[in-house]
């Protein structure tokens, strides 16, 4: 997929595009409905493009930490959107300055450079300085640049609209099944295996430490059942016990995600892995000594095997 970095105005473009506006964090069921609409509307000549913002406005403008972290990195979004037929991603740098763009400037100057045939947004879309305009306002302005607009209704799940905000809350509360229901797949993070303190193998539970995951929302500290995928040409999956948290028993100092792969032995250092969270098994505990921790880890493994039929 083509990736275009945008600071302020996007570059001129000649090929016709069907454009979806939104960060698409997580590419959840609601986003997937916008993607289906794009597939439906795009003709042979059209490119399908996403106009996505780099950071959440509530983080950039208000410093609200709960909007700092994401369900997906830009690489994750790229991979996923490509699978849904997207040809191009405009990665728009959302800054305090950019937030001053008026609705008119956004459509008549920015979008007007893109040769947009059709724009697709969700029904609650707001845009422009101070969230000044909405989907209807977009439709009116787009008439002036000869682009059609589709306003796609939100996807409902059990009386709530599927949203990235709700999914982030589910993840931080350890509700992995609920997150999965809204995403249409398990919540996952991708990173590179780093060296830890080499304590795991002494305890009989070697764990790979997943590095480079600072952008992701932090799952609630605890033990999870999940999968590890080795990201390579022919991916391999392993059932896994995941420990996420601060490791109070061993005086851990920072938040870490570690994975103990069932029925695996080998070296995974420096490999790229994806960790998928399937279900929360228990909260993280501060054990009185290593023996109690080891005993509990054996129990965790037993519980996991029982669930998986291993
Ligand atoms: C199944 C499992 C459960 C764990 N549960 C806890 C826990 O409840 N409390 C805790 O402090 N650490 C827990 N840990 C983390 C261990 O303390 C950690 O894996 C160990 O210190 C090894 O660290 P290292 O990989 O950096 O060497 C758990 C690890 C695993 C694999
Ligand atoms: N079943 C397994 N699950 C996770 N990692 C394993 C497993 N078997 C071997 N390993 C390897 O051992 C490393 C973890 O060993 P550990 O003693 O916990 O060291 P570290 O503290 O560096 O993570 C992993 O990064 C991986 O390369």
């Amino acid at each position: 997929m083509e990736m275009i970095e945008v600071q302020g105005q996007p570059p001129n473009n000649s090929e016709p595009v069907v454009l979806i506006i939104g960060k698409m964090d997580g590419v959840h069921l609601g986003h997937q409905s916008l993607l289906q609409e794009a597939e439906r509307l795009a003709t042979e000549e059209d490119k399908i493009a996403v106009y996505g913002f780099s950071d959440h406005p509530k983080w950039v403008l208000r410093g609200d930490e709960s909007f700092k972290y994401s369900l997906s990195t830009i690489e994750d979004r790229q991979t996923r959107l490509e699978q849904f037929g997207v040809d191009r991603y405009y990665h728009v740098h959302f800054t305090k300055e950019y937030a001053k763009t008026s609705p008119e400037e956004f459509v008549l100057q920015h979008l007007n450079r893109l040769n947009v045939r059709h724009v697709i947004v969700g029904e609650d879309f707001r845009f422009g300085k101070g969230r000044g305009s909405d989907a209807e306002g977009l439709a009116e302005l787009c008439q002036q640049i000869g682009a059609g607009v589709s306003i796609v209704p939100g996807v409902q799940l059990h009386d709530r609209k599927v949203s990235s905000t709700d999914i982030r809350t589910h993840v931080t509360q350890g509700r992995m099944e609920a997150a999965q229901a809204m995403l249409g797949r398990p919540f996952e993070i991708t990173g590179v295996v780093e060296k830890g303190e080499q304590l795991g193998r002494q305890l009989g539970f070697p764990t790979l430490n997943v590095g480079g995951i600072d952008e992701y929302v932090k799952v609630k500290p605890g033990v999870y059942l999940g999968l590890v995928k080795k990201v390579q040409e022919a991916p391999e999956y392993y059932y896994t016990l995941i420990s996420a948290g601060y490791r109070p028993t061993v005086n851990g100092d920072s938040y870490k995600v570690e994975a103990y792969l069932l029925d695996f032995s080998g070296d995974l250092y420096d490999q790229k892995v994806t960790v998928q969270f399937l279900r929360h098994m228990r909260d993280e505990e501060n054990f009185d000594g290593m023996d109690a921790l080891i005993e509990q880890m054996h129990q965790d493994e037993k519980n996991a095997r029982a669930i998986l039929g291993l």
Side-chain angles (χ1 to χ4, degrees):
M1 179 167 54
E2 201 185 346
M3 200 58 195
I4 298 178
E5 297 294 326
V6 178
Q7 322 245 6
Q9 298 230 9
N12 281 309
N13 165 59
S14 57
E15 305 146 298
V17 293
V18 170
L19 192 76
I20 304 171
I21 305 177
K23 182 176 174 187
M24 312 283 267
D25 186 22
V27 195
H28 57 55
L29 294 183
H31 300 139
Q32 291 171 29
S33 160
L34 301 182
L35 289 156
Q36 272 166 12
E37 176 70 358
E39 287 279 6
R40 197 180 67 77
L41 287 165
T43 63
E44 286 279 296
E45 297 81 55
D46 293 327
K47 296 264 181 220
I48 298 180
V50 168
Y51 209 71
F53 304 103
S54 59
D55 293 287
H56 202 290
K58 286 183 182 151
W59 162 241
V60 176
L61 301 173
R62 292 205 225 138
D64 185 340
E65 282 258 348
S66 56
F67 292 92
K68 180 177 175 185
Y69 303 101
S70 306
L71 296 165
S72 53
T73 61
I74 183 67
E75 290 82 16
D76 295 337
R77 256 166 274 161
Q78 227 178 311
T79 312
R80 189 70 60 189
L81 290 170
E82 202 158 44
Q83 289 165 355
F84 280 101
V86 174
D87 302 299
R88 183 183 294 163
Y89 192 98
Y90 289 98
H91 187 229
V92 185
H93 291 247
F94 192 92
T95 59
K96 283 191 172 145
E97 198 51 40
Y98 183 84
K100 292 179 187 156
T101 310
S102 70
E104 290 76 17
E105 196 182 347
F106 179 73
V107 178
L108 306 178
Q109 293 183 36
H110 295 197
L111 297 192
N112 197 23
R113 297 162 76 96
L114 299 180
N115 194 11
V116 188
R117 217 174 54 71
H118 208 93
V119 183
I120 300 166
V121 292
E123 64 184 349
D124 58 355
F125 177 69
R126 310 220 38 121
F127 74 110
K129 188 171 185 307
R131 291 166 56 83
S133 189
D134 56 13
E136 302 293 341
L138 178 75
E140 274 172 34
L141 284 167
C142 278
Q143 279 180 0
Q144 296 182 46
I145 62 165
V149 172
S150 292
I151 303 170
V152 178
V155 172
Q156 294 289 128
L157 175 68
H158 213 83
D159 267 353
R160 281 195 69 96
K161 196 167 68 69
V162 171
S163 73
S164 303
T165 305
D166 268 17
I167 301 170
R168 280 193 295 269
T169 305
H170 286 318
V171 168
T172 56
Q173 303 290 322
R175 295 190 293 264
M176 306 324 288
E177 292 91 340
Q180 168 159 3
M182 287 199 166
L183 284 166
R185 74 192 114 78
F187 170 67
E188 64 181 38
I189 60 174
T190 296
V192 173
V193 178
E194 283 179 347
K195 273 223 155 66
E197 281 130 49
Q198 313 276 301
L199 197 65
R201 66 192 74 181
Q202 289 173 41
L203 305 179
F205 289 88
T207 56
L208 58 84
N209 299 338
V210 192
I213 55 169
D214 295 349
E215 267 183 71
Y216 291 105
V217 60
K218 290 181 178 59
V219 306
K220 184 186 184 196
V223 177
Y224 295 81
L225 182 62
L227 293 170
V228 161
K229 176 171 103 175
K230 272 168 80 179
V231 184
Q232 52 192 15
E233 213 168 306
E236 281 172 35
Y237 292 85
Y238 299 90
Y239 283 125
T240 296
L241 274 168
I242 306 160
S243 159
Y246 298 89
R247 297 155 296 129
T249 312
V250 297
N251 298 319
D253 50 358
S254 57
Y255 181 90
K256 269 193 189 167
V257 173
E258 308 175 35
Y260 165 62
L261 282 58
L262 300 182
D263 304 321
F264 172 85
S265 60
D267 185 357
L268 291 169
Y269 286 126
D270 299 327
Q271 296 230 26
K272 194 169 169 184
V273 294
T274 296
V275 180
Q276 297 185 329
F277 294 81
L278 296 178
R279 86 141 92 162
H280 177 263
M281 307 267 289
R282 66 168 173 88
D283 286 339
E284 181 170 55
E285 278 181 55
N286 188 357
F287 289 100
D288 195 5
M290 298 308 264
D291 289 346
L293 170 63
I294 295 169
E295 198 183 316
Q296 180 59 50
M297 291 202 282
H298 281 292
Q299 188 57 50
D300 293 335
E301 179 165 355
K302 229 170 125 183
N303 296 345
R305 287 188 185 277
I307 291 167
L308 298 167
L310 292 175

